[in-house]
Amino acid sequence: MKIAIMGAMVEEITPLLEKFGHYETTQFADNKFYTLKYKNINLTIAYSKIGKVNAALTAGILINRFGAQKLLFSGVAGAVDEALHIGDLIAASSLAQHDLDITVFGHPYGFVPESKVFIKSDEKLLKIAHETADALGLTLKEGVIATGDQFICDGAKKEWIKETFNASAIEMEGAAVAFVCEALRVPFFILRSISDAADAQAGFDFNEFLQSSSKISADFIAAMLDRMV
Ligand code: 3QA
């Protein structure tokens, strides 16, 4: 079984590289891909760099060049749902692009012709995630994750995204990964741990909690992997 684990920033995958210790590094498309064998799994780990274009490129390479048959994303996000606090875990039930706007032609936000607004995460991977949370005694929330090429640090913008997409959390890569995986028929799972509340304080909180929340997410993904071997 070939599995890929992806993050956007180096901080998001460092806990995983440290956990596995040994890996081979391959350079491709101005990026680095870390491959290793873990039990019966051929694992490739990479961080894409920030944003939807980078995320789509890396997801495509993980699938087409490294042969990933499942893709797990680990990282941090801004909370939209007030019930989500720093360090909490949220799994995407579905994902949408909040910055995609051709509404002047009568289409809903996040929609382009021949596509759709929301992409659903793989049910089997969501089930494994909930089993993992139960086994560890952790709370794993599930909700819509909204993605766009903007670091949201503004209450009004956050409210708009919440209302328009019924989103629980926002970030900058998840929906890009989801669309690539859906088109290439690869089951995916997007996990985020909250680093900030996407409000006026978000820049400060993000810097403060990037590392700790990245670790919470990465540890959970590693535990999930152990249920998949
Ligand atoms: C933010 C990272 C990007 O990959 C998306 C973090 C956490 N809080 C968010 C928010 N709005 C949107 N996304 C997020 N990730 C990149 S900017 C910081 C780069 O600094 C999720 C996320 N409120 C690098 C050093 O210069």
Side-chain angles (χ1 to χ4, degrees):
M1 167 69 70
K2 290 185 176 172
I3 297 180
I5 305 179
M6 188 181 150
M9 301 179 71
V10 67
E11 289 86 350
E12 291 172 327
I13 65 155
T14 296
L16 289 161
L17 294 179
E18 281 175 354
K19 177 191 154 64
F20 294 114
H22 296 280
Y23 44 83
E24 230 176 80
T25 307
T26 310
Q27 292 261 10
F28 185 71
D30 293 331
N31 206 355
K32 290 194 184 85
F33 296 82
Y34 307 98
T35 51
L36 60 109
K37 183 115 182 132
Y38 179 64
K39 300 184 184 172
N40 63 339
I41 295 175
N42 286 307
L43 200 58
T44 308
I45 303 175
Y47 72 95
S48 58
K49 295 173 275 190
I50 293 162
K52 293 195 295 178
V53 170
N54 284 323
L57 176 64
T58 298
I61 291 166
L62 284 167
I63 294 165
N64 269 335
R65 192 173 175 102
F66 291 90
Q69 295 159 298
K70 286 183 173 37
L71 193 155
L72 312 176
F73 189 103
S74 181
V76 300
V80 172
D81 178 347
E82 302 94 57
L84 282 172
H85 303 289
I86 285 165
D88 286 356
L89 287 165
I90 168 120
S93 51
S94 65
L95 301 101
Q97 300 179 74
H98 69 70
D99 58 350
L100 188 50
D101 179 357
I102 56 165
T103 54
V104 70
F105 300 102
H107 296 298
Y109 286 103
F111 180 82
V112 292
E114 299 180 55
S115 188
K116 46 192 173 183
V117 178
F118 295 99
I119 302 288
K120 277 200 171 78
S121 300
D122 181 66
E123 289 295 337
K124 283 186 205 140
L125 289 173
L126 278 170
K127 185 160 173 276
I128 294 170
H130 286 295
E131 288 165 4
T132 304
D134 290 347
L136 297 174
L138 294 173
T139 304
L140 175 67
K141 298 205 173 172
E142 210 185 295
V144 174
I145 291 185
T147 301
D149 282 329
Q150 299 158 357
F151 183 82
I152 306 294
C153 46
D154 171 280
K157 183 89 214 228
K158 171 169 95 164
E159 276 310 304
W160 180 85
I161 293 168
K162 183 181 180 177
E163 263 145 48
T164 310
F165 297 95
N166 186 32
S168 296
I170 35 186
E171 35 86 306
M172 301 177 67
E173 297 84 17
V177 172
F179 276 89
V180 168
C181 289
E182 160 115 337
L184 296 173
R185 310 288 186 262
V186 169
F188 68 90
F189 174 76
I190 312 277
L191 180 73
R192 298 278 185 166
S193 172
I194 299 303
S195 58
D196 58 84
D199 53 10
Q201 274 206 76
F204 176 86
D205 287 341
F206 175 79
N207 283 327
E208 190 76 11
F209 298 108
L210 169 62
Q211 246 189 334
S212 55
S213 294
S214 289
K215 173 98 168 83
I216 290 168
S217 177
D219 286 350
F220 190 92
I221 289 286
M224 242 181 105
L225 205 63
D226 275 325
R227 298 185 81 85
M228 295 167 66
V229 292

